[in-house]
Amino acid sequence: MSRRLPPLNSLRVFEAAARHLSFTRAAEELFVTQAAVSHQVKSLEEFLGLKLFRRRNRSLLLTEEGQSYFLDIKDVFSALSEATDKVLERSEKGSLTISLQPSFAIQWLVPRLADFNAQQPDIDVRIKAVDMDEGSLTDDVDVAIYYGRGNWPGVRADKLYQEFLIPLCSTAMLKGNKPLNSIDDLSQHTLLHDTSRKHWKQFAKQFQLDKVKINQGPIFSHSTMVLQAAIHGQGVALCNNVLAQPEIDAGRLIAPFDEHLISKNAFYIVCHPNQADMGRVATFRDWMLSTAAKELQAFSSEEETA
């Protein structure tokens, strides 16, 4: 047998009006007009076939049937409110699984996690390292960091950092017997490649470097390996600005030239669209976006000062 339920929106309006004994105050609570409250109450009365309110000397009173009905349903609304508060509270706490490439985890996220943990001690962050962007979020992942152009279907993607590719080398190499005074001096050095040789090829093409040995030099499968090779003086790397920044700040790597590539790629924080503004996911997204924005602002200020 199907359940006979009144229009739920009308029921919600009636509960508020009966609690306040005022259409005006009910309208203010529900952010609707007084006319809308009156319309919903009338709709409920027509469904029930009885009067719920009566007016007397500018005051609003419940009828006997209205009073009985209100006493029966008010606990239901209280229970719904409590259940909603509980589920929202649980969504603000618990575990949060983040999927991302190891290089971004090691160079960016892990060093900053202490700040997030201090702000949100009830959220247990779990890091899931993946070699490649999966293109879609699996059920066991709440948030992901993708690298690309932001055109993934079916997900919410917010840009964190635009990618710049910067030639970097160790300070020892810069002071060595083979000068690195200009990009033409790259022809005297081994080039270190990240995944493939395409970035150095783009760099050589943009800056017309005909003598640079693009088709030589080791290829590494992870950006952190390229950074380590450059730190140990094995050659000159063309590095992602975000991943290389900790090594630059620590003085382990240095940019010998001002020339760099502006990439079409960027790092994005990705989640399911219906979870972007809810609970733990929203809390982590807000922290990531805020942290990135503050760092970009600080970097812009340093450039203007320089």
Side-chain angles (χ1 to χ4, degrees), residues 111-162:
R112 292 163 176 78
L113 265 184
D115 177 62
F116 179 77
N117 292 335
Q119 293 183 37
Q120 304 295 335
D122 292 327
I123 298 179
D124 181 19
V125 174
R126 300 178 182 181
I127 306 297
K128 179 183 178 183
V130 294
D131 286 337
M132 298 294 291
D133 297 330
E134 297 174 358
S136 62
L137 293 178
T138 56
D139 291 339
D140 61 337
V141 171
D142 299 300
V143 176
I145 307 300
Y146 282 3
Y147 167 80
R149 301 191 180 182
N151 53 355
W152 304 282
V155 298
R156 167 79 174 267
D158 295 284
K159 184 186 288 187
L160 290 170
Y161 293 99
Q162 184 70 38

Coordinates of all heavy atoms in Angstrom, one line a residue, residues 111-162:
P111 N 55.1 18.6 2.5 CA 55.7 19.6 3.4 C 54.7 20.6 4.0 O 55.0 21.2 5.0 CB 56.6 20.4 2.4 CG 56.9 19.4 1.4 CD 55.7 18.6 1.2
R112 N 53.5 20.7 3.4 CA 52.5 21.6 3.9 C 51.4 21.0 4.7 O 50.5 21.7 5.2 CB 51.8 22.4 2.7 CG 52.8 23.3 2.0 CD 52.3 23.7 0.6 NE 53.2 24.6 -0.1 CZ 54.3 24.3 -0.7 NH1 54.8 23.0 -0.7 NH2 55.1 25.2 -1.2
L113 N 51.4 19.7 4.8 CA 50.3 19.0 5.5 C 50.2 19.3 6.9 O 49.1 19.3 7.5 CB 50.4 17.4 5.3 CG 49.7 16.8 4.1 CD1 49.8 15.3 4.2 CD2 48.2 17.2 4.2
A114 N 51.3 19.6 7.6 CA 51.3 20.0 9.0 C 50.3 21.2 9.2 O 49.6 21.2 10.2 CB 52.7 20.3 9.5
D115 N 50.3 22.1 8.3 CA 49.4 23.3 8.5 C 48.0 22.9 8.4 O 47.2 23.3 9.2 CB 49.7 24.3 7.4 CG 48.8 25.5 7.4 OD1 48.8 26.2 8.4 OD2 48.1 25.7 6.4
F116 N 47.6 22.0 7.4 CA 46.3 21.5 7.3 C 45.9 20.7 8.5 O 44.8 20.9 9.1 CB 46.1 20.7 6.1 CG 44.7 20.2 5.9 CD1 43.6 21.0 5.5 CD2 44.4 18.8 6.2 CE1 42.4 20.5 5.3 CE2 43.1 18.4 6.1 CZ 42.1 19.2 5.6
N117 N 46.8 19.8 9.0 CA 46.5 19.0 10.1 C 46.3 19.8 11.4 O 45.4 19.5 12.2 CB 47.6 18.0 10.4 CG 47.7 16.9 9.3 OD1 46.7 16.7 8.6 ND2 48.9 16.4 9.1
A118 N 47.0 20.9 11.5 CA 46.8 21.8 12.7 C 45.5 22.5 12.7 O 44.8 22.7 13.7 CB 47.9 22.8 12.7
Q119 N 45.0 22.8 11.5 CA 43.7 23.5 11.3 C 42.6 22.6 11.4 O 41.5 22.9 11.9 CB 43.7 24.3 10.0 CG 44.6 25.4 9.8 CD 44.5 26.1 8.5 OE1 43.4 26.3 8.0 NE2 45.6 26.6 7.9
Q120 N 42.8 21.3 10.9 CA 41.7 20.3 10.9 C 42.1 19.0 11.5 O 42.3 18.0 10.8 CB 41.2 20.1 9.4 CG 40.8 21.4 8.7 CD 39.6 22.0 9.2 OE1 38.8 21.3 9.9 NE2 39.4 23.3 9.0
P121 N 42.3 19.0 12.8 CA 42.8 17.7 13.5 C 41.8 16.6 13.4 O 42.2 15.4 13.5 CB 43.0 18.2 14.9 CG 42.1 19.3 15.1 CD 42.1 20.1 13.8
D122 N 40.5 16.8 13.1 CA 39.5 15.8 13.0 C 39.5 15.1 11.6 O 38.8 14.1 11.5 CB 38.1 16.3 13.3 CG 38.0 16.7 14.8 OD1 38.6 16.1 15.6 OD2 37.3 17.7 15.0
I123 N 40.3 15.6 10.7 CA 40.3 15.0 9.3 C 41.6 14.2 9.2 O 42.7 14.7 9.3 CB 40.2 16.1 8.2 CG1 38.8 16.8 8.4 CG2 40.3 15.5 6.9 CD1 38.6 17.9 7.3
D124 N 41.4 12.9 8.9 CA 42.5 12.0 8.7 C 42.9 11.9 7.3 O 42.2 11.2 6.5 CB 42.2 10.6 9.3 CG 43.3 9.6 9.2 OD1 44.4 10.1 9.0 OD2 43.0 8.4 9.3
V125 N 44.0 12.6 6.9 CA 44.4 12.6 5.4 C 45.1 11.3 5.1 O 46.0 10.9 5.7 CB 45.3 13.8 5.2 CG1 45.8 13.8 3.7 CG2 44.5 15.1 5.4
R126 N 44.7 10.7 3.9 CA 45.3 9.5 3.4 C 45.8 9.8 2.0 O 45.0 10.3 1.1 CB 44.3 8.4 3.4 CG 43.8 8.0 4.8 CD 42.8 6.9 4.8 NE 42.3 6.6 6.1 CZ 41.4 5.7 6.4 NH1 41.0 4.9 5.5 NH2 41.0 5.5 7.7
I127 N 47.1 9.6 1.7 CA 47.7 9.9 0.5 C 47.8 8.7 -0.4 O 48.3 7.7 0.0 CB 49.1 10.5 0.6 CG1 49.1 11.7 1.6 CG2 49.7 10.9 -0.7 CD1 48.3 12.9 1.1
K128 N 47.2 8.7 -1.6 CA 47.3 7.6 -2.6 C 48.1 8.1 -3.8 O 47.6 8.9 -4.6 CB 45.9 7.2 -3.0 CG 45.8 6.1 -4.0 CD 44.4 5.8 -4.4 CE 44.4 4.7 -5.5 NZ 43.0 4.4 -6.0
A129 N 49.3 7.6 -3.9 CA 50.2 8.0 -5.0 C 49.9 7.2 -6.2 O 49.7 6.0 -6.2 CB 51.7 7.8 -4.6
V130 N 49.7 7.9 -7.3 CA 49.5 7.2 -8.6 C 50.5 7.8 -9.7 O 50.8 9.0 -9.6 CB 48.0 7.5 -9.1 CG1 47.0 6.8 -8.2 CG2 47.7 9.0 -9.2
D131 N 50.9 6.9 -10.6 CA 51.9 7.3 -11.6 C 51.3 8.3 -12.6 O 52.0 9.2 -13.1 CB 52.5 6.1 -12.2 CG 53.5 5.4 -11.3 OD1 54.0 6.0 -10.4 OD2 53.7 4.2 -11.5
M132 N 50.1 8.0 -13.0 CA 49.4 8.8 -14.0 C 48.0 9.3 -13.5 O 47.4 8.6 -12.7 CB 49.3 8.0 -15.3 CG 50.6 7.5 -15.9 SD 51.6 8.9 -16.5 CE 50.6 9.5 -17.9
D133 N 47.6 10.4 -14.1 CA 46.2 10.8 -13.8 C 45.2 9.8 -14.3 O 45.4 9.3 -15.5 CB 45.9 12.2 -14.5 CG 46.8 13.3 -13.9 OD1 47.2 13.2 -12.8 OD2 47.1 14.2 -14.7
E134 N 44.3 9.4 -13.5 CA 43.4 8.3 -13.9 C 42.2 8.8 -14.8 O 41.5 8.0 -15.4 CB 42.8 7.7 -12.6 CG 43.9 7.0 -11.8 CD 43.4 6.5 -10.4 OE1 42.2 6.7 -10.2 OE2 44.2 5.9 -9.7
G135 N 42.0 10.1 -14.9 CA 41.0 10.6 -15.8 C 39.6 10.6 -15.2 O 38.7 11.3 -15.7
S136 N 39.4 9.8 -14.1 CA 38.1 9.8 -13.4 C 38.4 9.4 -12.0 O 39.3 8.7 -11.7 CB 37.1 8.8 -14.1 OG 37.6 7.5 -14.0
L137 N 37.5 9.9 -11.1 CA 37.7 9.6 -9.7 C 37.0 8.3 -9.3 O 35.9 8.1 -9.6 CB 37.1 10.8 -8.9 CG 37.7 12.1 -9.0 CD1 37.0 13.1 -8.1 CD2 39.2 12.1 -8.5
T138 N 37.8 7.4 -8.7 CA 37.3 6.2 -8.3 C 36.5 6.4 -6.9 O 36.7 7.4 -6.3 CB 38.4 5.1 -8.1 OG1 39.4 5.7 -7.2 CG2 39.1 4.8 -9.4
D139 N 35.8 5.4 -6.5 CA 34.9 5.5 -5.3 C 35.7 5.7 -4.1 O 35.2 6.2 -3.1 CB 34.0 4.2 -5.2 CG 33.0 4.2 -6.3 OD1 32.7 5.2 -6.9 OD2 32.5 3.1 -6.5
D140 N 37.0 5.2 -4.1 CA 37.8 5.3 -2.9 C 38.6 6.6 -2.8 O 39.5 6.7 -1.9 CB 38.8 4.1 -2.8 CG 39.7 4.0 -3.9 OD1 39.4 4.6 -5.0 OD2 40.8 3.4 -3.8
V141 N 38.4 7.5 -3.7 CA 39.1 8.8 -3.7 C 38.2 9.9 -3.6 O 37.2 10.0 -4.2 CB 39.9 8.9 -5.1 CG1 40.5 10.3 -5.2 CG2 41.0 7.9 -5.2
D142 N 38.5 10.8 -2.6 CA 37.7 12.0 -2.4 C 38.1 13.2 -3.2 O 37.3 14.0 -3.8 CB 37.7 12.4 -0.9 CG 37.2 11.3 0.0 OD1 36.0 11.0 -0.2 OD2 37.9 10.8 0.8
V143 N 39.5 13.4 -3.3 CA 40.1 14.6 -4.0 C 41.3 14.1 -4.7 O 42.0 13.1 -4.3 CB 40.5 15.7 -3.0 CG1 41.2 16.8 -3.7 CG2 39.3 16.2 -2.2
A144 N 41.5 14.7 -5.9 CA 42.7 14.3 -6.7 C 43.4 15.6 -7.1 O 42.8 16.6 -7.2 CB 42.4 13.4 -7.9
I145 N 44.7 15.4 -7.4 CA 45.5 16.5 -8.0 C 45.9 16.0 -9.4 O 46.6 15.1 -9.5 CB 46.8 16.9 -7.2 CG1 46.4 17.2 -5.8 CG2 47.5 18.1 -7.9 CD1 45.5 18.3 -5.5
Y146 N 45.3 16.7 -10.4 CA 45.6 16.3 -11.8 C 46.5 17.4 -12.4 O 46.5 18.6 -12.1 CB 44.3 16.3 -12.6 CG 43.5 15.1 -12.4 CD1 43.8 14.1 -11.5 CD2 42.3 14.9 -13.1 CE1 43.0 13.0 -11.4 CE2 41.5 13.8 -13.0 CZ 41.8 12.8 -12.1 OH 41.0 11.7 -11.9
Y147 N 47.3 16.9 -13.4 CA 48.2 17.7 -14.1 C 47.8 17.7 -15.6 O 47.7 16.6 -16.2 CB 49.6 17.2 -14.0 CG 50.6 17.8 -15.0 CD1 51.2 19.1 -14.8 CD2 51.1 17.1 -16.1 CE1 52.1 19.6 -15.7 CE2 52.0 17.6 -17.0 CZ 52.5 18.8 -16.8 OH 53.4 19.3 -17.6
G148 N 47.5 18.8 -16.2 CA 47.0 18.9 -17.5 C 46.4 20.2 -17.9 O 46.8 21.2 -17.3
R149 N 45.4 20.1 -18.7 CA 44.7 21.4 -19.2 C 43.4 21.7 -18.7 O 42.7 22.6 -19.1 CB 44.7 21.3 -20.8 CG 46.1 21.2 -21.3 CD 46.2 21.4 -22.8 NE 47.6 21.2 -23.3 CZ 47.9 21.4 -24.6 NH1 47.0 21.7 -25.5 NH2 49.2 21.3 -24.9
G150 N 42.9 20.9 -17.7 CA 41.7 21.1 -17.0 C 40.4 20.8 -17.7 O 39.3 21.2 -17.4
N151 N 40.5 19.9 -18.8 CA 39.4 19.6 -19.6 C 38.9 18.1 -19.3 O 38.6 17.4 -20.3 CB 39.7 19.8 -21.1 CG 40.9 19.1 -21.5 OD1 41.6 18.5 -20.7 ND2 41.2 19.1 -22.8
W152 N 38.9 17.7 -18.1 CA 38.4 16.3 -17.8 C 36.9 16.3 -17.6 O 36.4 17.1 -16.8 CB 39.1 15.8 -16.5 CG 40.6 15.9 -16.6 CD1 41.4 15.0 -17.3 CD2 41.5 16.9 -16.1 NE1 42.7 15.4 -17.1 CE2 42.8 16.5 -16.4 CE3 41.2 18.0 -15.3 CZ2 43.9 17.3 -16.0 CZ3 42.3 18.8 -14.9 CH2 43.6 18.4 -15.3
P153 N 36.2 15.4 -18.3 CA 34.7 15.4 -18.2 C 34.3 14.8 -16.8 O 34.9 13.9 -16.3 CB 34.3 14.5 -19.3 CG 35.5 13.6 -19.6 CD 36.7 14.4 -19.2
G154 N 33.2 15.3 -16.4 CA 32.5 14.7 -15.2 C 33.1 15.0 -13.9 O 32.7 14.4 -12.9
V155 N 34.1 16.0 -13.8 CA 34.7 16.3 -12.5 C 34.7 17.8 -12.4 O 34.6 18.6 -13.3 CB 36.1 15.8 -12.4 CG1 36.1 14.3 -12.4 CG2 37.0 16.3 -13.4
R156 N 34.9 18.3 -11.1 CA 35.1 19.7 -10.8 C 36.6 19.9 -10.7 O 37.2 19.3 -9.9 CB 34.4 20.1 -9.5 CG 34.8 21.4 -8.9 CD 34.1 22.6 -9.6 NE 34.4 23.8 -8.9 CZ 33.6 24.3 -7.9 NH1 32.5 23.7 -7.5 NH2 33.9 25.5 -7.3
A157 N 37.1 20.8 -11.6 CA 38.6 21.0 -11.6 C 38.9 22.5 -11.4 O 38.4 23.3 -12.1 CB 39.2 20.5 -12.9
D158 N 39.6 22.8 -10.3 CA 40.0 24.2 -10.0 C 41.5 24.3 -10.1 O 42.3 23.6 -9.5 CB 39.6 24.6 -8.6 CG 38.0 24.6 -8.5 OD1 37.4 25.6 -9.0 OD2 37.5 23.7 -8.0
K159 N 42.0 25.3 -10.9 CA 43.4 25.5 -11.1 C 44.2 25.9 -9.8 O 43.7 26.8 -9.1 CB 43.7 26.5 -12.2 CG 45.2 26.7 -12.6 CD 45.4 27.8 -13.6 CE 44.9 27.4 -14.9 NZ 45.2 28.5 -16.0
L160 N 45.3 25.3 -9.6 CA 46.1 25.6 -8.5 C 47.3 26.4 -8.9 O 47.6 27.5 -8.5 CB 46.6 24.3 -7.8 CG 45.6 23.5 -7.0 CD1 46.2 22.2 -6.6 CD2 45.1 24.3 -5.7
Y161 N 48.1 25.9 -9.9 CA 49.3 26.5 -10.3 C 49.5 26.3 -11.8 O 49.4 25.2 -12.3 CB 50.6 25.9 -9.7 CG 50.7 26.2 -8.2 CD1 50.3 25.2 -7.3 CD2 51.2 27.4 -7.7 CE1 50.4 25.4 -5.9 CE2 51.3 27.6 -6.3 CZ 50.9 26.6 -5.4 OH 51.0 26.8 -4.1
Q162 N 49.8 27.4 -12.6 CA 50.2 27.3 -13.9 C 51.6 26.8 -14.0 O 52.4 27.1 -13.1 CB 50.1 28.7 -14.6 CG 50.4 28.6 -16.1 CD 49.3 27.9 -16.9 OE1 48.1 28.1 -16.6 NE2 49.7 27.2 -17.9

